[in-house]
Amino acid sequence: MAEEKEMVNIYIMGKHYKVPYGLTIMKAMEYAGYRFIRGCGCRGGFCGACGTVYRKPGDFRLKVGLACQTVVEDGMYLTQIPFYPANKATYNLEELTPTLGTLLQYYPEMTRCLGCNSCTRICPQELSVMDYIAAAQRGDIEKAANMSFDCIMCGLCASRCPAEIVQYNVAILARRLYGRHIAPRAQHLAKRVEEIKAGKFDEEISRLMKMDRAELQKLYDARDIEP
Amino acid sequence: MYTQEMLEAIKIVEKTRERRLKETFPRLKPEEKEQLLRSFHPDYMPDAMRPVKVGPNKGEKMPHEHVDLLESRSMLDPDHFSLEKIDYDVDVLVIGGGGAGTSAALLAQEEGADVLLVTKLRHGDANTMMAEGGIQAADKENDSPAIHYLDVMGGGGFHNIPELVAALVMDAPLCIQWLESLGCMFSKFPDGTMNTIHGGGTSRKRMHFAHDYSGAEIMRTLRDEARNRGIKVIEFSPAVELIMDEHGQCAGAVLYNLETEQYLVVRSKTVIIATGGSGRLHIAGSPTTNHYGATADGLVMAYRAGAKLIFLDATQFHPTGVAFPEQIVGQLVTEKVRGLGAQLVNADGEQFIYPLETRDAVSSAIIRECKERKKGIATPSGMYGVWLDSPMIEILHGKGTIEKELPAMFRQYKRFNINMAEQPILIYPTLHYQNGGILINDRAETSIPNLYVAGEASGGVHGRNRLMGNSLLDIIVFGRRAGKNAAQRAKSVQLGRLTLDHVKRFHEELQKEGLGQKVAPILLPDYRGKIS
């Protein structure tokens, strides 16, 4: 297979390898002989383990991508950044109030943002990172929560921030504040939990548990299905 | 970017779309479903399985890939490995840092236990993180745990263990409420009502979701909470063997630090296995949706200690894995795409299955369409797939719905220059879930004293086929139960001398059968020098 494919030259941490054209960076590194311990997680773009930075010859710009979702290009100089030391505040969510003061109490460095937009430019999810930090600075927790929702916490934003903000940790605090203290609770859920605790469904469930396969199959086939 | 041939094939799908929008493909009758599964589901393919020759399930058929591991020897030499120096001494050891393990750790700590969570990769590297579609719970007026129960049993082919299903459906609303209180951002209407939709095999719209990052949202919330509460976590240090005591109780585990290559001994009054599934064994040579570490470690360890496995011969293939582009073949396309109205369409532009049949049935129908009826669409690499007509969603629910409701899917395809809001996507079944696992009861206990299991590593609750949205539910329900019960139990446990005699005995059994050449758990798949 490999022989028939067009090959490209890549440089993993400066070291030259020839790999088949069309592979993702992750698969290309494995083809080159790497067996990942760090820098590889879900392999599907959800976990943020495989943040990778690279440059192409003759281009001063630093580029970025998830190794599992980015295709190798000829001449790529690349390295993964699987871990970056980050300041993570610890808090008791239940006791917090969803205010600007809370965000500032745990992440005062948030106000040091220089507006350079490096975080937004590096985000492999193409989130407007600087803008959600701006929303957080205004105390607009709902906006910060929603704008940061697709964050996979890969940490690349924090690695580039000259103000040393850990954007993704600010973001998860905003999201949890929103989810717990701002978004209205589901009333039907609370009601159902009370009904279950009161034993409303116990009898029906234990009746079903005693049924044999034929009885269950009959009930199953006769189910009315919500359109 | 689609090839010219594929763009031509898409025109056929576009031509029939308007007519299909008004068509509902008939659901399968029970006997049709049975026939379809027997003829086309990978579980029924000859040569896919063989009987395991050793251990508690001796003589039972399982996929070769599982049998290979169960017939392997330990990484440790039980005659010479010393358990004398104890590196960690705790009340509850949780093995696995996904959704089940983290839920278990949180609940165990709430019960006052000294908890240690160990995990092979990073905390949160797990299939939980990749679950897109949602989590089931019967919390709406027209729904009830009993209706949920019936859906689960029917989906599992009525093989499910009743007490486990009862636990699953009765705990479901409590678990959603717990997640809500932890700040999980479920998709809600302005008044707080949960936005819920159908999944394959559901009779009520009870799929709760957080866009299509449902599992990621749950995982990062639980992980953040664990960090806030100061739960001890050791990353990159998988357990490789359970430790027993002289009275036959589970008493800890040996860890292997992947980075320093050193072993560590953990003594623990109770142990919870939450090591997840086994997609990275690539059963039947299939690509998989699973994360990098899904290699059945927990099954291997528990089996050696004498725990019984159940339904390992039932493997779930998710109907809609990526068939094109090649770079991401096998990755998940969430069932929510069908939940929002996209139909499955063959090369003639026609439907061939009701899109929300249970996963085993839909997968079988796609395989039939490609292999027997030759109505699949070829990719440049020689694979076949069928269309998932995603643009229908934009017609049914308005322009922009895909980007808003399926941001992960939209992004996944956009990275390869395919706009799924305008063009259908090509899919084929992919290895997704281990329906079976280590047999547990409704307290998440195994047959081994002080050993608990939760999540995908366990077996019984889903029978032979899990429904969408019941895996995220399973990990929370049984993670919580395992954590609470293990912590309470730990209060009265008295441990004796630690031993690896069970490994010694297992090695003897292997030797009698001429087995044990390979070593397991394998911990990570090996793709070196290959195109995976």
Side-chain angles (χ1 to χ4, degrees):
Chain A
M1 286 267 291
E3 291 75 33
E4 300 161 21
K5 290 210 170 192
E6 194 189 327
M7 305 294 273
V8 296
N9 298 289
I10 61 166
Y11 301 84
I12 301 168
M13 292 178 277
K15 199 166 167 191
H16 175 235
Y17 296 91
K18 260 189 185 331
V19 298
Y21 170 81
L23 299 184
T24 58
I25 292 172
M26 179 165 285
K27 291 183 180 186
M29 287 180 72
E30 288 172 334
Y31 179 86
Y34 278 78
R35 192 183 192 189
F36 291 105
I37 293 176
R38 288 187 185 261
C40 177
C42 76
R43 305 174 73 98
F46 287 86
C47 80
C50 65
T52 303
V53 294
Y54 62 92
R55 280 198 163 94
K56 306 248 318 262
D59 188 353
F60 70 90
R61 283 183 182 83
L62 190 65
K63 296 187 174 163
V64 65
L66 298 174
C68 71
Q69 303 288 307
T70 309
V71 177
V72 286
E73 294 173 55
D74 198 38
M76 237 181 201
Y77 272 75
L78 62 92
T79 189
Q80 289 193 301
I81 306 186
F83 179 83
Y84 200 81
N87 173 33
K88 153 84 182 106
T90 55
Y91 38 82
N92 181 345
L93 185 72
E94 209 178 316
E95 291 169 356
L96 300 186
T97 51
T99 58
L100 175 61
T102 299
L103 293 176
L104 289 174
Q105 179 191 341
Y106 291 105
Y107 295 109
E109 66 274 21
M110 200 172 84
T111 58
R112 298 174 68 215
C113 176
L114 307 171
C116 72
N117 213 30
S118 294
C119 49
T120 297
R121 280 204 299 263
I122 203 169
C123 179
Q125 293 287 82
E126 298 181 348
L127 303 184
S128 300
V129 183
M130 190 180 79
D131 294 342
Y132 81 61
I133 289 296
Q137 285 176 333
R138 293 192 305 271
D140 190 342
I141 288 168
E142 180 171 353
K143 194 166 182 190
N146 284 318
M147 284 183 81
S148 69
F149 188 83
D150 295 359
C151 170
I152 54 173
M153 304 181 83
C154 69
L156 287 171
C157 49
S159 80
R160 294 291 278 166
C161 181
E164 296 164 320
I165 301 167
V166 181
Q167 291 87 341
Y168 61 91
N169 278 342
V170 177
I172 195 168
L173 173 55
R175 287 195 301 275
R176 294 194 66 195
L177 283 171
Y178 177 76
R180 161 91 197 191
H181 295 292
I182 299 176
R185 294 292 176 102
Q187 297 307 323
H188 58 93
L189 176 62
K191 185 172 164 226
R192 181 54 45 87
V193 168
E194 287 315 311
E195 288 171 345
I196 288 172
K197 285 183 177 162
K200 183 176 171 187
F201 304 100
D202 291 356
E203 209 186 299
E204 205 179 355
I205 289 285
S206 53
R207 207 169 55 237
L208 286 171
M209 285 171 71
K210 286 187 205 112
M211 283 187 190
D212 64 19
R213 184 188 169 140
E215 285 175 286
L216 280 170
Q217 177 94 51
K218 218 169 131 189
L219 282 179
Y220 182 76
D221 294 340
R223 290 173 310 161
D224 67 302
I225 294 175
E226 181 179 1
Chain B
M1 192 110 66
Y2 285 123
T3 63
Q4 201 51 47
E5 290 83 357
M6 295 174 93
L7 290 173
E8 289 300 319
I10 288 174
K11 285 185 188 158
I12 300 170
V13 179
E14 288 169 343
K15 223 174 268 174
T16 58
R17 188 175 292 144
E18 207 176 297
R19 168 169 59 78
R20 280 186 291 105
L21 274 163
K22 296 180 210 106
E23 287 176 2
T24 306
F25 199 86
R27 289 169 205 266
L28 293 170
K29 296 190 182 74
E31 55 280 7
E32 287 172 339
K33 180 171 165 181
E34 184 70 20
Q35 183 59 33
L36 179 63
L37 294 181
R38 290 201 172 274
S39 307
F40 294 98
H41 195 279
D43 284 352
Y44 293 95
M45 294 303 108
D47 306 330
M49 298 188 202
R50 71 171 193 266
V52 59
K53 287 183 179 163
V54 292
N57 290 69
K58 188 170 172 171
E60 292 177 27
K61 278 191 175 181
M62 299 175 191
H64 293 296
E65 294 79 3
H66 281 126
V67 175
D68 286 346
L69 295 192
L70 298 179
E71 294 179 346
S72 295
R73 70 173 192 277
S74 174
M75 281 172 77
L76 309 177
D77 173 359
D79 290 317
H80 296 101
F81 191 88
S82 168
L83 297 172
E84 264 165 39
K85 182 178 165 283
I86 289 166
D87 297 284
Y88 298 92
D89 204 351
V90 296
D91 295 331
V92 179
L93 170 66
V94 180
I95 305 172
T102 310
S103 301
L106 287 168
L107 267 284
Q109 197 203 40
E110 279 177 23
E111 291 294 318
D114 179 20
V115 186
L116 175 66
L117 185 150
V118 300
T119 186
K120 178 160 59 184
L121 298 166
R122 301 171 309 164
H123 188 187
D125 281 341
N127 285 339
T128 303
M129 192 64 102
M130 315 178 72
E132 296 160 8
I135 178 166
Q136 287 200 43
D139 59 14
K140 294 276 177 85
E141 197 61 50
N142 69 345
D143 202 358
S144 79
I147 302 174
H148 191 181
Y149 183 96
L150 213 47
D151 286 349
V152 177
M153 292 298 284
F158 304 99
H159 297 286
N160 321 47
I161 295 174
E163 69 177 61
L164 299 181
V165 181
L168 185 81
V169 300
M170 293 290 266
D171 275 11
L174 285 76
C175 288
I176 302 284
Q177 196 182 46
W178 182 59
L179 292 170
E180 187 189 45
S181 77
L182 289 172
C184 230
M185 278 175 62
F186 287 110
S187 297
K188 290 179 175 180
F189 294 105
D191 70 348
T193 301
M194 293 277 183
N195 192 352
T196 53
I197 61 170
H198 268 304
T202 57
S203 63
R204 294 290 184 276
K205 292 181 176 173
R206 72 169 79 87
M207 195 69 56
H208 304 62
F209 53 88
H211 302 284
D212 57 352
Y213 285 102
S214 307
E217 170 65 356
I218 290 171
M219 187 68 245
R220 66 195 180 192
T221 300
L222 294 175
R223 181 177 58 193
D224 193 64
E225 187 64 13
R227 286 175 180 165
N228 284 343
R229 296 202 202 163
I231 289 173
K232 275 180 293 181
V233 176
I234 308 178
E235 297 184 320
F236 297 98
S237 300
V240 298
E241 209 65 75
L242 294 176
I243 298 171
M244 305 291 284
D245 81 351
E246 57 190 323
H247 311 300
Q249 309 181 95
C250 190
V254 177
L255 315 182
Y256 179 67
N257 183 330
L258 287 173
E259 294 176 310
T260 64
E261 303 184 357
Q262 286 166 309
Y263 290 107
L264 297 161
V265 174
V266 182
R267 178 166 66 187
S268 181
K269 291 175 182 154
T270 55
V271 176
I272 300 170
I273 288 181
T275 50
S278 52
R280 288 285 154 191
L281 302 182
H282 297 290
I283 287 154
S286 176
T288 182
T289 58
N290 283 192
H291 87 106
Y292 187 47
T295 54
D297 304 358
L299 299 190
V300 174
M301 291 185 282
Y303 196 68
R304 278 183 198 143
K308 177 116 175 126
L309 308 179
I310 187 172
F311 301 140
L312 261 202
D313 58 337
T315 300
Q316 181 163 86
F317 286 78
H318 193 290
T320 59
V322 175
F324 183 87
E326 212 173 320
Q327 289 89 353
I328 53 169
V329 163
Q331 282 180 22
L332 181 62
V333 176
T334 174
E335 194 156 316
K336 197 180 165 192
V337 178
R338 281 173 285 143
L340 288 169
Q343 295 169 346
L344 290 161
V345 178
N346 65 18
D348 297 339
E350 299 299 338
Q351 291 194 78
F352 53 91
I353 184 81
Y354 178 71
L356 290 175
E357 294 283 355
T358 54
R359 285 177 174 171
D360 48 359
V362 181
S363 290
S364 302
I366 295 168
I367 293 168
R368 177 177 65 188
E369 209 62 17
C370 292
K371 292 204 168 151
E372 190 188 62
R373 296 179 175 168
K374 312 285 180 202
K375 298 273 170 106
I377 295 91
T379 73
S381 67
M383 237 187 116
Y384 282 85
V386 296
W387 296 112
L388 180 56
D389 197 9
S390 47
M392 290 179 69
I393 295 172
E394 302 277 287
I395 301 171
L396 290 167
H397 303 283
K399 220 172 148 48
T401 304
I402 289 183
E403 210 177 337
K404 184 167 162 275
E405 291 296 334
L406 300 160
M409 292 298 94
F410 185 76
R411 187 175 278 120
Q412 172 168 299
Y413 280 98
K414 191 177 142 228
R415 282 178 172 134
F416 297 95
N417 296 314
I418 291 170
N419 181 348
M420 68 179 281
E422 290 171 6
Q423 293 174 314
I425 51 183
L426 200 70
I427 58 87
Y428 193 78
T430 177
L431 177 55
H432 188 55
Y433 188 76
Q434 177 186 291
N435 288 308
I438 305 160
L439 179 64
I440 55 166
N441 64 15
D442 63 0
R443 295 173 48 79
E445 294 164 335
T446 66
S447 55
I448 298 168
N450 306 346
L451 180 65
Y452 298 74
V453 184
E456 194 172 348
S458 75
V461 63
H462 305 298
R464 300 188 59 85
N465 176 64
R466 175 179 64 80
L467 295 185
M468 172 200 181
N470 277 347
S471 181
L472 283 178
L473 178 58
D474 170 5
I475 60 170
I476 307 295
V477 167
F478 289 97
R480 285 168 50 93
R481 285 182 175 232
K484 189 175 175 193
N485 294 331
Q488 286 176 353
R489 165 93 190 132
K491 288 173 189 164
S492 60
V493 169
Q494 294 290 329
L495 291 179
R497 183 180 53 85
L498 304 187
T499 98
L500 289 171
D501 284 352
H502 64 292
V503 180
K504 216 182 283 183
R505 285 194 297 274
F506 194 81
H507 280 184
E508 284 161 10
E509 202 183 341
L510 286 172
Q511 204 175 14
K512 261 186 231 155
E513 296 291 337
L515 298 168
Q517 287 77 20
K518 293 179 187 161
V519 172
I522 60 168
L523 303 179
L524 295 170
D526 190 353
Y527 300 129
R528 285 175 291 188
K530 297 179 199 161
I531 299 177
S532 62

